[in-house]
Amino acid sequence: MEKIDLPKTYDPSQVEEKWYKVWEEKGYFHADENAKKPSFSMVIPPPNITGSLHMGHALNNTLQDILVRWKRMSGFNTLWLPGTDHAGIATQNVVEKELQKEGLSRSDIGRTEFIKRMWEWKDRYGGSIITQLKRLGASCDWKRLRFTMDESCTQAVKEVFVRLYEEGYIYRGSYIINWCPRCHTALSDIEVEHKSVNGYLYYIKYPLKYPSRNVQYLSVATTRPETMLGDTAVAANPKDKRFRDMIGTLLILPILKRELRLIADDFVSPEFGTGLVKVTPAHDPVDFEIGKRHNLPEINILHPDARMNQNAGPYEGLDRYECRKRLLEDLKREGYLEKVEDYSYSIGHCYRCHTIVEPYLSLQWFVHMKELAHQAIEAVAKGHVRFVPKSWENTYFEWMRNIKDWCISRQIWWGHRIPVWYCKDCDKENVSRSTPDSCKRCGSPNLEQDPDVLDTWFSSALWPFSTLGWPRKTQDLETFYPTSCLSTGFDIIFFWVARMIIMGLKFMGDVPFRTVYIHALIRDESGQKMSKSSGNIIDPIHVIERYGADALRFTLAVSSAQGRDVVLSYDRIEGYRHFCNKIWNAARFILMNLEGYDHRLQLTTYSLELCDRWILSRIDQVTEEVTGRLETYNFDEAAKILYNFLWHEYCDWYIELSKLGLNEGRRNVTQYLLITTFSKILRLLHPFMPFITEELWQYLQRTEETGQRTDSIVISEWPKSKSRMIDHQAIKDMEVIMDVVYNIRNIRSEMKIPPKKKVRVFINTDIPLINTLLNDHSEYINLLGNVSNLVVGKVKKPPFSAVACIKDMEIYIPLKELIDIKKERTRLNKELYKISEDLKKVEKKLENKEFVLKASKDIVKKQVERREELVNLRDKLLKNLKALDE
C-alpha cells in the first residue's frame, strides 16, 4: 500500500469538535436497556444550572469518563446518565439579581411570574455547562439527560414525601434552625460553614430581684449580647458549688427588666466565663434544648431579615449588629457591662452567600433520620457499599451515627414545592401526590398550599433511581439499578452520598451504587486551594482552548493519586501537551513507513527478532497493569504506566530499533508489528485521551488491519493481556541491552562527546550468556549508542577511557580520539572548583545551629537537598578527571 501522510503537528481545534459530533450522531454513548450484555452504570453528580465548568468538575468528570470509556470498550452495556440540578437558593439568587437591575423584587412580580422567569433563565443559560462537558469529552448518554425538576423527578419527589409523611418520618414542628437573613431561608446543619473569628466575650451583670448584702448581681458571659433580649433564664451546672445554694433565685434582665430564674442544667460548663450562662431558647440550639427540659418560654426577638422585632423593646427595627452596638452602650452607661475580653470562637455562615447565620425558632418541615440511617450504616459496614479510599468510611460513620433530623423546608420559591395543602376552615394538613380538590377531614375546598419548597438535596437524594423512571417500574431501573459506581468529592459525603444510600435502601430495597470513589481536591502549584478570592483559578475551558482537552484530561488523571490532593499548574498541562505531540509523531513515523505493506501477512511464518518479542510482551504486561489499576481506581498509576511505556520504551527504543527492520528484508513484518502494537497503545490511551486517539485510529484503519476494523475507537475492543504468551526472557535480555546503551549515552553526556561523533566501545564480561547476547544484537547497541566498533568479551581497559560499571560488566569508551584531553581536564577542574566552593557555603550554613533552628523546615530541607546534589556532582567530576589522568 501507499504511505499515509499525517499532518506535521497535532491541532486539537481541528479534531475535538469534529469527532464529538460524530460520536453523538452515531449514538455510541447510548445505552440499550434491553441488551443482554452485563451493565455498567453511573449517574453524574448533577452540576448546578447556574454553574460553569470549573476544575473540580473537570477532574471528576474526566475520571468518570475514563471508567465509562474503559467499560464500554470492555464489552459492558454502559450507561453514564447526565443531568443538572435546579440549585434552589443559588439559582434564585441569580435571577433575583437580574430583577434588581430592573428595579424589581420577586414580591413585586409575584410567585407565578417569578417561577416563569426562573424557567426562562434555565432554558436560556442552564445548558451551558452541558456544552462545556462535551468539550471535555464526557461520553454521557445525552438522550437520557435529566433535570432535578423535570416531570419524572418531580413525581418521584412527591411520592417520597407522601410515603415518608404517611409512615411518620416527615413532621412539622417549631425548632431552632439555621436561618440565613440574606437568603431568607432555613439551612440544614451541613449547609452551614463554621469559621473561626476573633471576637469578644462580654460579661454582663444580671441584678438579683432580692439582693443580699453579699450578692447584688450575677455576672454572665456571652459572645452575642443582643440575644439577651430573648433570655428566659440563667443557668448553672448543678455540681457547681458556687451557685448550688442559689438555684431558684430570681434575677432581673437588664434594660427590659424581665424576671428570670436561675436554673440548674448539666449542660452548663463551669469553666466557661463565670460558670453561668444566659438561656435564650429561641436563638440558640443548646438553649432550645435546655428550654424544653425546663419548660421555659421561647421569645423570638428577630425579623427574618435579622432586624429586631417588637420583643426587642427599644431596639425594635434595628439591624442585629446595630442593636448590639446600641445595647452595649446602654449596658455600659447603666453600669451593667462588667468587662469585655478578647475571645476567638467559631460562627456559622451560609454556604451560599457567606452571611453569618442566626439560630432561629421557626416552624419547619423535618425528616426523622435516626431510624432511616441505621440500615445505611449497616450497608457500608457489611461492604454492600465500599468507599475508595476506604478511610472515608470513618467520616461517613461518624456523621451517620450522630445524625440529626433533617430540616427539609426552604423559604424560597424556586424548587419542589412542598406537597401539603392547609385547610383554612379546619387547619387540617392535606398531604397529596396531586393537588387536592377538598379537605380530607371537613370536605372544604378552601385549601392553600404550603409556600415553602424542599431542600435541593431532597430531590438530589433520589437521583440514582428517579432518573431511571421511578416510581414507575421501568426497564431502565431493571437494567441499570443499582448503579456501579459514584465518583464525587469528600465535601458532599453528608449532603448527598449518605442521603442517597438512605433513600435507595428505603425506596428501592437496595443500595444506589456499589462503590463510592472520593476524588481529591485541586490545588495550585504552591499547594493552595483554588478560589476566586485567591486569584489562582485555572479555567478548564481556557486550558482546552490553549492545550486541547486531552492534555488537560491526562494531566488530571496522572495527578489524581488516592488520598493526595491534585497539584495543578500550566507547566504540568503543557508537559502533557508535549506528550500528545509524542503520540502524534509516533503515528506519523509509522504511517510514513507503510509503503509496500501487505496487511494479509501471517505473522506465524516469521521468526521474530528480540526487540519484537520484547515489545509484544511489554504491551501485554502494560495492558495487564493498566487494567488492574483501573479496576482499583488508581487512575494516576494507570496514566503513568502508559506515559512511561509509550515515551520511554515504545518511542525511545522500539520505534528506533524498527528502523533496522524497515531497512532489511523484514520490512513487512516490522510494518505489521508497528501497526498492531500502536493500535493497542491507542486503545489503552483512549479512555484518558479520547480525541487524539480517535483521530489516529481513523488513519490507522486505512491500513486495513486484520480483525481490528472498527468504525470508531470508542466501540473498539479493550486489549486483552495474554499472560501465557509473555516472553520474560526477551524482556530480561532487552533490559540488559538497554542498560548498556543507557550507560554509553551517559558517558557521552558527561564527557561532552559531540552527539554526531561515533565512539568505540569495549565491554568486559566473563559471562558467556551476556557475551553471546551483546554480540548477537550488536546492531542494537551500534544504532542506539552511535557506536562505530563494539568489542565484547574478556578485554582490558584502553588508556584514557571513561568507565561505567553495571552488573557483570564494565564498559570502556576511549576518549583520546573523541575530545581534547587537556582542554577537558581544564574545564573539569574549573567546574570542580566552582562546585567545591558552593558546597563549602552550603555546609557552612548547615553547620550553623542558629540557622537550622530559626530557618523554616522547607528552607533547611532545600539546603540539605542542595548539599546532596553538589556532592553527587563533585563525585562525578572526580571520576571523570580520573579517566583523563590514565
Side-chain angles (χ1 to χ4, degrees):
M1 67 176 293
E2 299 279 329
K3 70 174 182 178
I4 300 172
D5 286 324
L6 194 65
K8 283 186 178 180
T9 55
Y10 173 57
D11 183 355
S13 66
Q14 300 298 309
V15 168
E16 293 177 355
E17 188 178 347
K18 173 183 74 175
W19 286 120
Y20 201 92
K21 187 178 179 184
V22 170
W23 295 335
E24 275 202 279
E25 288 172 352
K26 296 282 187 181
Y28 293 144
F29 307 155
H30 185 61
D32 181 0
E33 67 274 20
N34 296 308
K36 302 302 180 188
K37 297 188 292 184
S39 65
F40 177 87
S41 57
M42 297 177 72
V43 290
I44 200 170
N48 294 349
I49 55 171
T50 55
S52 57
L53 193 74
H54 58 62
M55 207 51 85
H57 290 133
L59 170 64
N60 193 18
N61 286 287
T62 292
L63 300 181
Q64 289 177 82
D65 196 43
I66 289 169
L67 286 174
V68 167
R69 287 180 182 270
W70 164 54
K71 287 292 185 178
R72 188 182 291 120
M73 295 171 76
S74 299
F76 286 80
N77 181 26
T78 306
L79 170 64
W80 185 16
L81 197 148
T84 52
D85 195 295
H86 64 280
I89 296 173
T91 311
Q92 179 159 315
N93 281 344
V94 169
V95 176
E96 286 197 85
K97 285 176 183 175
E98 293 294 314
L99 282 175
Q100 286 172 11
K101 293 174 185 176
E102 301 174 37
L104 297 170
S105 69
R106 59 175 162 139
S107 302
D108 293 334
I109 63 174
R111 186 166 194 147
T112 303
E113 178 60 27
F114 182 75
I115 296 300
K116 182 183 172 187
R117 292 256 194 140
M118 294 293 303
W119 279 104
E120 287 172 354
W121 188 93
K122 184 261 177 189
D123 292 341
R124 192 178 307 124
Y125 302 110
S128 63
I129 197 162
I130 298 300
T131 304
Q132 292 171 335
L133 284 169
K134 290 179 180 181
R135 291 199 66 181
L136 185 68
S139 61
C140 299
D141 186 346
W142 299 111
K143 292 178 182 177
R144 285 183 165 92
L145 181 64
R146 296 289 185 265
F147 175 52
T148 50
M149 283 178 63
D150 64 22
E151 186 57 33
S152 173
C153 291
T154 298
Q155 289 306 314
V157 166
K158 289 177 180 176
E159 184 68 26
V160 166
F161 186 96
V162 172
R163 285 201 208 174
L164 290 176
Y165 178 85
E166 290 173 347
E167 293 178 32
Y169 289 106
I170 284 182
Y171 65 96
R172 193 178 188 222
S174 288
Y175 278 79
I176 281 282
I177 47 91
N178 304 294
W179 181 263
C180 176
R182 161 65 182 77
C183 298
H184 284 206
T185 188
L187 302 170
S188 68
D189 288 343
I190 58 175
E191 289 174 311
V192 176
E193 295 178 346
H194 288 273
K195 300 176 185 177
S196 293
V197 295
N198 294 321
Y200 301 99
L201 193 59
Y202 303 92
Y203 290 78
I204 301 168
K205 298 176 183 177
Y206 282 55
L208 272 65
K209 184 175 181 181
Y210 304 108
S212 67
R213 182 181 299 175
N214 296 325
V215 184
Q216 284 81 43
Y217 65 88
L218 293 178
S219 182
V220 178
T222 179
T223 58
R224 299 161 65 219
E226 67 280 4
T227 61
M228 67 181 287
L229 302 171
D231 285 0
T232 55
V234 172
N237 190 293
K239 296 176 183 175
D240 193 331
K241 294 177 182 178
R242 294 172 294 175
F243 309 109
R244 186 184 294 166
D245 296 337
M246 296 186 69
I247 300 303
T249 299
L250 290 176
L251 307 170
I252 301 298
L253 178 66
I255 308 298
L256 295 187
K257 310 300 182 184
R258 186 162 58 241
E259 281 190 11
L260 309 175
R261 192 173 294 278
L262 179 63
I263 61 174
D265 195 276
D266 289 328
F267 184 82
V268 180
S269 169
E271 287 75 38
F272 176 77
T274 62
L276 296 172
V277 296
K278 53 193 278 312
V279 182
T280 319
H283 294 285
D284 186 279
V286 173
D287 293 2
F288 178 77
E289 297 298 331
I290 293 174
K292 289 295 180 190
R293 287 194 288 272
H294 296 271
N295 296 313
L296 298 175
E298 297 158 348
I299 301 173
N300 178 17
I301 59 169
L302 291 173
H303 287 299
D305 61 359
R307 288 180 303 108
M308 311 309 287
N309 65 20
Q310 69 279 4
N311 293 326
Y315 308 103
E316 182 181 359
L318 296 180
D319 170 77
R320 54 182 165 167
Y321 297 119
E322 180 61 26
C323 171
R324 177 182 295 182
K325 181 183 174 185
R326 296 263 192 98
L327 175 62
L328 287 168
E329 289 171 356
D330 293 346
L331 289 169
K332 186 176 182 181
R333 186 179 62 253
E334 296 186 28
Y336 293 118
L337 187 61
E338 186 176 44
K339 62 177 178 177
V340 180
E341 293 177 347
D342 290 340
Y343 189 69
S344 296
Y345 59 100
S346 179
I347 193 163
H349 294 70
C350 174
Y351 80 116
R352 282 294 175 198
C353 69
H354 308 296
T355 300
I356 292 176
V357 300
E358 282 291 338
Y360 193 72
L361 186 65
S362 177
L363 191 60
Q364 301 287 339
W365 287 95
F366 295 85
V367 181
H368 281 299
M369 296 297 285
K370 205 77 177 174
E371 185 183 332
L372 291 170
H374 179 72
Q375 201 177 356
I377 293 169
E378 290 267 299
V380 175
K382 291 180 177 178
H384 301 312
V385 176
R386 69 186 183 104
F387 279 77
V388 179
K390 188 175 175 60
S391 57
W392 287 110
E393 288 181 7
N394 295 328
T395 305
Y396 172 84
F397 287 137
E398 185 181 352
W399 185 71
M400 291 290 273
R401 286 167 181 156
N402 297 285
I403 199 166
K404 296 179 181 178
D405 285 358
W406 176 12
C407 177
I408 56 170
S409 46
R410 297 290 179 271
Q411 289 65 51
I412 56 175
W413 287 354
W414 176 242
H416 292 280
R417 195 161 176 184
I418 291 175
V420 177
W421 288 259
Y422 305 105
C423 178
K424 291 184 177 180
D425 295 327
C426 72
D427 297 328
K428 165 73 177 171
E429 289 174 357
N430 293 267
V431 179
S432 176
R433 294 167 179 82
S434 57
T435 305
D437 296 321
S438 58
C439 175
K440 292 177 183 176
R441 179 192 287 162
C442 71
S444 169
N446 197 10
L447 302 177
E448 185 177 72
Q449 189 174 0
D450 194 304
D452 292 352
V453 300
L454 289 165
D455 177 9
T456 298
W457 296 102
F458 191 91
S459 53
S460 297
L462 319 181
W463 189 246
F465 54 91
S466 66
T467 51
L468 295 172
W470 191 89
R472 293 176 296 113
K473 290 184 178 179
T474 64
Q475 190 60 47
D476 271 5
L477 277 170
E478 183 70 26
T479 304
F480 300 115
Y481 190 93
T483 62
S484 309
C485 175
L486 175 80
S487 177
T488 189
F490 68 89
D491 53 334
I492 54 174
I493 290 175
F494 314 134
F495 280 112
W496 195 40
V497 178
R499 289 166 177 171
M500 280 191 287
I501 295 173
I502 287 169
M503 293 301 187
L505 288 165
K506 175 67 180 170
F507 294 99
M508 293 297 297
D510 202 350
V511 295
F513 26 72
R514 299 299 184 200
T515 301
V516 180
Y517 175 77
I518 303 296
H519 66 73
L521 186 71
I522 294 189
R523 298 185 180 275
D524 66 15
E525 57 192 325
S526 62
Q528 297 299 308
K529 183 180 176 181
M530 287 192 179
S531 65
K532 288 180 183 176
S533 58
S534 301
N536 60 352
I537 292 285
I538 296 179
D539 179 1
I541 297 302
H542 172 71
V543 169
I544 289 170
E545 287 169 352
R546 186 172 169 185
Y547 300 108
D550 288 330
L552 173 60
R553 287 170 62 110
F554 201 84
T555 307
L556 292 170
V558 84
S559 306
S560 60
Q562 287 183 17
R564 288 209 306 270
D565 289 340
V566 173
V567 176
L568 197 65
S569 68
Y570 282 109
D571 286 345
R572 292 203 79 184
I573 298 164
E574 188 173 2
Y576 290 110
R577 176 65 177 86
H578 296 324
F579 183 50
C580 293
N581 293 340
K582 193 74 173 176
I583 299 166
W584 189 262
N585 290 335
R588 193 159 180 267
F589 171 83
I590 293 166
L591 296 170
M592 285 175 64
N593 283 283
L594 291 182
E595 199 168 350
Y597 173 59
D598 183 356
H599 71 274
R600 295 167 297 181
L601 169 77
Q602 295 295 314
L603 194 60
T604 52
T605 62
Y606 290 85
S607 59
L608 297 178
E609 290 290 323
L610 173 61
C611 64
D612 301 331
R613 299 195 308 276
W614 166 72
I615 200 65
L616 290 172
S617 297
R618 281 296 295 130
I619 280 189
D620 272 351
Q621 284 185 328
V622 166
T623 298
E624 197 172 289
E625 290 167 7
V626 170
T627 304
R629 298 309 192 279
L630 290 177
E631 284 169 349
T632 55
Y633 301 90
N634 287 293
F635 301 98
D636 62 315
E637 292 178 17
K640 285 169 190 169
I641 289 165
L642 285 169
Y643 178 88
N644 288 326
F645 173 70
L646 183 120
W647 195 303
H648 300 302
E649 294 184 62
Y650 191 77
C651 291
D652 287 359
W653 294 91
Y654 186 67
I655 282 185
E656 291 303 313
L657 290 172
S658 72
K659 293 171 183 176
L660 295 171
L662 290 170
N663 292 330
E664 296 170 2
R666 301 180 64 262
R667 182 176 176 82
N668 206 39
V669 70
T670 302
Q671 291 170 325
Y672 175 84
L673 288 168
L674 283 168
I675 291 166
T676 52
T677 53
F678 196 65
S679 163
K680 283 187 177 181
I681 289 168
L682 287 180
R683 283 178 280 148
L684 291 170
L685 278 168
H686 176 70
F688 300 86
M689 310 176 89
F691 295 108
I692 191 171
T693 52
E694 181 69 271
E695 179 75 0
L696 295 176
W697 178 264
Q698 295 301 326
Y699 277 99
L700 217 58
Q701 291 297 285
R702 298 186 202 175
T703 65
E704 300 182 19
E705 180 196 338
T706 307
Q708 295 297 336
R709 287 192 57 77
T710 315
D711 287 343
S712 170
I713 196 170
V714 173
I715 53 171
S716 65
E717 187 178 351
W718 182 255
K720 291 183 174 66
S721 175
K722 300 170 186 174
S723 299
R724 292 182 298 104
M725 305 293 288
I726 294 174
D727 188 336
H728 294 284
Q729 189 58 51
I731 293 171
K732 287 179 184 176
D733 288 348
M734 272 301 295
E735 284 173 354
V736 171
I737 292 169
M738 291 161 76
D739 204 8
V740 168
V741 172
Y742 169 79
N743 278 277
I744 292 170
R745 288 174 172 173
N746 198 40
I747 288 171
R748 296 183 68 110
S749 173
E750 286 185 6
M751 302 307 297
K752 302 288 188 286
I753 298 170
K756 291 184 179 179
K757 271 195 178 182
K758 288 188 176 290
V759 297
R760 291 186 301 130
V761 175
F762 297 85
I763 300 176
N764 180 34
T765 179
D766 57 2
I767 308 295
L769 287 175
I770 293 178
N771 194 328
T772 303
L773 173 67
L774 299 183
N775 278 307
D776 286 351
H777 300 92
S778 58
E779 72 274 19
Y780 291 4
I781 298 168
N782 293 339
L783 173 69
L784 298 172
N786 199 14
V787 174
S788 60
N789 184 42
L790 177 67
V791 178
V792 183
K794 292 183 179 180
V795 297
K796 289 184 178 180
K797 177 187 167 190
F800 300 106
S801 288
V803 181
C805 296
I806 53 179
K807 188 181 178 184
D808 301 321
M809 285 177 273
E810 283 184 343
I811 300 170
Y812 311 129
I813 298 180
L815 299 173
K816 203 165 186 179
E817 66 264 35
L818 299 170
I819 59 175
D820 185 318
I821 300 290
K822 188 177 178 182
K823 280 185 179 178
E824 182 62 12
R825 188 182 287 116
T826 302
R827 185 189 72 79
L828 290 174
N829 276 312
K830 278 185 180 178
E831 203 168 327
L832 181 62
Y833 175 79
K834 183 180 180 302
I835 284 168
S836 298
E837 289 299 306
D838 288 347
L839 184 59
K840 282 179 188 175
K841 290 175 186 175
V842 172
E843 285 179 334
K844 189 176 180 181
K845 271 188 181 179
L846 292 172
E847 285 166 4
N848 184 339
K849 290 181 181 178
E850 195 173 342
F851 167 77
V852 174
L853 287 171
K854 290 186 176 179
S856 70
K857 287 181 180 179
D858 284 344
I859 290 172
V860 174
K861 185 184 174 187
K862 283 178 183 176
Q863 290 298 314
V864 171
E865 288 169 352
R866 177 64 177 154
R867 178 174 62 188
E868 289 174 7
E869 180 189 348
L870 290 168
V871 167
N872 288 334
L873 283 170
R874 181 196 64 188
D875 292 347
K876 278 185 181 180
L877 290 170
L878 288 169
K879 180 185 169 186
N880 292 341
L881 275 167
K882 187 179 177 183
L884 299 179
D885 288 338
E886 297 174 9

